Amino acid sequence: MRKPVVLISGAAGEIGHALIDHLVEAGGRSIVTLDLRPLEPALTTKVSRAFTGSILDQALLESIEAEFAIDRIFHLAALLSTRSEFTPVAAHEVNVRGTLNLLELAASQARSRNQNVVFFYPSSIAAYGVSSDAVMPETGWDECSHNQPITMYGCNKLYCEHLGRYYAGHYRQLDAEPVGGKVDFRSIRFPGLISAHTVPSGGTSDYAPEMIHAAAQGEPYECFVRPDTRIPFMAMPDAVGAILGLMEAPRDSLTRSVYNVGAFAPSAGDFRSLVEDAFPSAAIGEAIDTKRQRIVDSWPDDVDCSAARRDWGLAPEYDLVRAFDEYLVPTIAALYQS
Ligand code: SER
């Protein structure tokens, strides 16, 4: 019997970068990665195999399947929300067809080994579509409310949440013989994420990480949303902690397949003040992009994370101040000094 490995798609992206380090530190299964871009050399040395290629390349997926037994998948590859609006059909291909390909791979692995394959899918706050006159509940929107996204990316994420639920509970339901192994689909709706090590590309929550990374490099930054714009965010170590917390939870403690997470919900103005306090020479201006503003305005000011806390113990370590003082500012300052 081959030893099962973990497969990470989109491994060269922001979450993949942080996740690989944590999985390696924790020990355990070998890691196989797949990304359009080559993995950084520092990460390549940490994984068993790093494939450079597309999740749309069936031949490549088949050769990975032929070579490895896979029992965990972190399917992180996607085009983010701003980028997807410029190329909606390509976004649909990558975000939906790519996810379908990975779910099929998971189902085929589960069937052939008669064992569940645990599948992590990062969904997004973009799955929401909240109208401006909607009155937000005190604890934020729950996972089932206001699911009328206005972006291609949000539509893709919402649909793939459903695909995952289908593969986990209803896949090939009319087959004569029930299939043994299943896809154990687990998903998190991420808010904006802020990493001290990397800057996102093509997202609409990017104003927050872009602002702090620009200030740390002594570069001017024009914020593309109004100062009163508010959505939830999370520091990258807590995002990775949430992924691992959900993936390690006993199946029978999970009451849903998709969970909101979030840690703090500052306005863009709050964020700017903290950046200016940390980097007094920061030159942050405003150049509001009304179209991107409309997208951020369609996302909730905050989300209700009670299901994640209850079912698998979501407990972010970083609130906004701690994220700045203990994670973002020291790490980012050191990053650009070296
Ligand atoms: N950060 C993502 C974006 O802005 C939302 O999930 O597209």
Side-chain angles (χ1 to χ4, degrees):
M1 280 276 276
R2 293 174 300 173
K3 264 195 162 164
V5 301
V6 175
L7 174 64
I8 308 178
S9 77
E14 276 213 292
I15 301 179
H17 203 275
L19 181 65
I20 291 173
D21 278 335
H22 277 77
L23 290 176
V24 170
E25 266 169 39
R29 294 174 184 72
S30 304
I31 301 169
V32 173
T33 64
L34 171 61
D35 199 297
L36 272 182
R37 290 169 292 168
L39 211 56
E40 279 175 27
L43 287 180
T44 308
T45 56
K46 298 180 179 174
V47 304
S48 299
R49 279 288 285 284
F51 289 92
T52 303
S54 170
I55 51 171
L56 299 175
D57 181 345
Q58 284 291 358
L60 176 58
L61 293 180
E62 277 163 27
S63 74
I64 293 175
E65 241 205 295
E67 197 174 335
F68 298 98
I70 298 162
D71 73 348
R72 269 172 187 239
I73 297 177
F74 295 88
H75 169 42
L76 310 178
L79 298 189
L80 293 183
S81 56
T82 291
R83 169 84 196 281
S84 294
E85 287 311 298
F86 290 109
T87 54
V89 176
H92 190 278
E93 273 302 287
V94 173
N95 295 347
V96 176
R97 164 73 61 188
T99 300
L100 187 70
N101 288 349
L102 270 284
L103 284 166
E104 270 298 313
L105 185 150
S108 145
Q109 286 282 312
R111 200 168 43 239
S112 67
R113 299 176 44 249
N114 207 23
Q115 264 180 14
N116 287 0
V117 171
V118 193
F119 191 106
F120 177 75
Y121 179 67
S123 187
S124 164
I125 190 170
Y128 287 103
V130 180
S131 64
S132 54
D133 55 1
V135 182
M136 194 184 64
E138 220 166 87
T139 50
W141 299 113
D142 71 51
E143 290 82 345
C144 305
S145 322
H146 292 271
N147 294 148
Q148 305 242 339
I150 68 161
T151 60
M152 176 52 108
Y153 173 75
C155 293
N156 297 162
K157 288 290 179 188
L158 186 60
Y159 174 61
C160 289
E161 290 179 2
H162 287 299
L163 269 185
R165 188 178 49 76
Y166 165 76
Y167 269 79
H170 311 286
Y171 182 60
R172 301 189 69 135
Q173 57 193 295
L174 298 183
D175 280 6
E177 297 293 328
V179 280
K182 292 195 168 174
V183 179
D184 179 352
F185 180 85
R186 304 176 181 208
S187 177
I188 283 176
R189 271 193 199 165
F190 282 118
L193 297 181
I194 313 177
S195 168
H197 299 278
T198 51
V199 190
S201 81
T204 318
S205 58
D206 294 3
Y207 58 89
E210 282 174 356
M211 206 186 282
I212 187 166
H213 280 267
Q217 292 172 86
E219 287 174 2
Y221 183 70
E222 300 290 323
C223 184
F224 60 82
V225 293
R226 287 188 319 267
D228 66 336
T229 305
R230 187 182 297 278
I231 59 166
F233 281 93
M234 194 175 223
M236 190 58 84
D238 281 332
V240 171
I243 296 174
L244 301 179
L246 175 60
M247 289 294 268
E248 279 153 22
R251 177 69 250 173
D252 56 12
S253 66
L254 303 181
T255 57
R256 49 177 71 220
S257 50
V258 180
Y259 290 89
N260 279 333
V261 303
F264 41 85
S267 69
D270 296 337
F271 201 83
R272 174 180 172 164
S273 303
L274 284 164
V275 174
E276 287 170 341
D277 289 347
F279 301 99
S281 59
I284 302 169
E286 236 176 66
I288 293 164
D289 178 334
T290 51
K291 295 174 183 159
R292 291 178 94 187
Q293 178 77 56
R294 179 170 174 263
I295 291 176
V296 185
D297 287 345
S298 76
W299 297 345
D301 291 3
D302 210 347
V303 290
D304 178 353
C305 305
S306 53
R309 283 196 292 270
R310 182 194 63 222
D311 289 1
W312 47 272
L314 170 74
E317 277 184 36
Y318 294 104
D319 61 16
L320 180 60
V321 170
R322 204 162 160 227
F324 259 81
D325 292 352
E326 295 178 29
Y327 169 60
L328 294 171
V329 174
T331 320
I332 292 178
L335 183 72
Y336 297 117
Q337 262 161 25
S338 55

